[in-house]
Amino acid sequence: MKVLIINGSPRIEGNTTIALNEMVKIFDKEGIETEIVQIGQKDVRGCIACGVCSTKGKCVFDDVVNELAPKFEEADGLVVASPVYYASANATLIACLDRLFYSTSFDKTMKVGASVVVARRGGSSATFDELNKYFTISGMPVASSQYWNSIHGRLKGEAESDKEGLQTMRVLARNMSFLIKSIALGKEKYGLPEKEEWQATNFVR
C-alpha cells in the first residue's frame, strides 16, 4: 500500500515538511509506503482547458504534472499539503492539482485523500476546504483527524512547537492508514461501488 504526498511549499525543509514528516512516521509504523514530491518551487502553469489531455492521455504541458500522474494512479491515497497564502493554497499547488485531476482519466474512486495546511495564524479552514474539493469531486473518501488538518508556524521550524498540530498530523495518518486498509479489504469482498453513466446537465443552453 502506498500514499503519494504532494508538498506545495516552495520552502525546503520548512513547516509544511515538519507536518508531513510527522505523518510519515506513522505511515512507516503502519507498513504503508510513502513518496513525497515537493512541487512548490517548480514552474507549473495553470490549465488552459485545451482538451488535448482527452486525446493524448496526458497534459499538453509536459512537466511535473505528467510525472505525478502515474504515481497518483498507483497510490492508494493522496496527501496534498500547502502553506496558506491570502487564505488560500499556494498557487503553484492549485495549478498542479487542477491539471493533475483534470488530465488523468483513471478511476480515483476510493483512493483516500487528505489535505494538510500550514499557517502563521488564519486562513487554515478556507485552504483546507479548497483542497478537499479535489477529493470530493473524484469519489475519494476524505480522511479526517481530531481537528481540521492544520498546523501553525511562520518562521522555519516553528511548527515543531505546535504540539496539538503535530498530534493532529499523527491522528490523521493513523485514520488514513485505517481507511486505506479497510477499503482494500472491502474491495476484495465487495468490489467498488456500482457506476452510473454520467448525466451532464448544463444550466444555460
Side-chain angles (χ1 to χ4, degrees):
M1 295 179 181
K2 184 174 183 178
V3 170
L4 173 63
I5 302 172
I6 302 177
N7 184 344
S9 175
R11 297 184 178 179
I12 305 298
E13 301 297 328
N15 290 317
T16 307
T17 298
I18 289 171
L20 294 175
N21 285 345
E22 199 71 10
M23 294 183 70
V24 169
K25 292 175 189 175
I26 302 300
F27 286 133
D28 287 345
K29 289 180 182 178
E30 294 287 341
I32 293 179
E33 182 184 351
T34 57
E35 180 179 1
I36 300 178
V37 180
Q38 188 154 8
I39 60 98
Q41 77 281 28
K42 295 184 181 295
D43 185 13
V44 182
R45 65 168 300 158
C47 178
I48 61 171
C50 64
V52 171
C53 56
S54 64
T55 57
K56 295 186 72 172
K58 64 179 183 178
C59 185
V60 69
F61 301 118
D62 196 16
D63 57 14
V64 71
V65 172
N66 288 337
E67 295 171 18
L68 287 168
K71 298 176 188 289
F72 184 17
E73 184 173 14
E74 179 188 349
D76 302 287
L78 176 68
V79 176
V80 293
S82 178
V84 174
Y85 296 157
Y86 285 90
S88 65
N90 178 358
T92 303
L93 177 63
I94 294 301
C96 176
L97 294 177
D98 281 353
R99 289 171 48 215
L100 178 63
F101 275 77
Y102 190 74
S103 67
T104 50
S105 59
F106 59 81
D107 190 3
K108 302 170 184 66
T109 304
M110 295 300 142
K111 290 181 183 287
V112 180
S115 59
V116 170
V117 297
V118 183
R120 179 192 70 85
R121 186 173 177 87
S124 295
S125 58
T127 304
F128 179 62
D129 292 341
E130 178 185 22
L131 295 176
N132 282 338
K133 289 180 174 66
Y134 290 95
F135 310 136
T136 56
I137 199 173
S138 303
M140 297 173 61
V142 180
S144 60
S145 185
Q146 64 185 10
Y147 193 75
W148 297 299
N149 305 339
S150 60
I151 193 167
H152 290 82
R154 182 178 73 86
L155 298 177
K156 186 175 182 178
E158 283 186 345
E160 292 282 9
S161 299
D162 185 1
K163 301 305 179 185
E164 183 178 352
L166 291 172
Q167 185 180 61
T168 298
M169 296 302 113
R170 294 193 298 271
V171 173
L172 174 61
R174 289 191 192 99
N175 290 351
M176 190 172 184
S177 299
F178 178 83
L179 271 177
I180 288 171
K181 293 175 182 179
S182 298
I183 288 169
L185 290 173
K187 287 196 315 191
E188 282 183 17
K189 187 169 184 179
Y190 303 109
L192 289 171
E194 179 185 351
K195 293 281 188 182
E196 291 190 18
E197 185 178 349
W198 184 39
Q199 299 293 317
T201 304
N202 298 325
F203 293 106
V204 179
R205 295 190 180 276

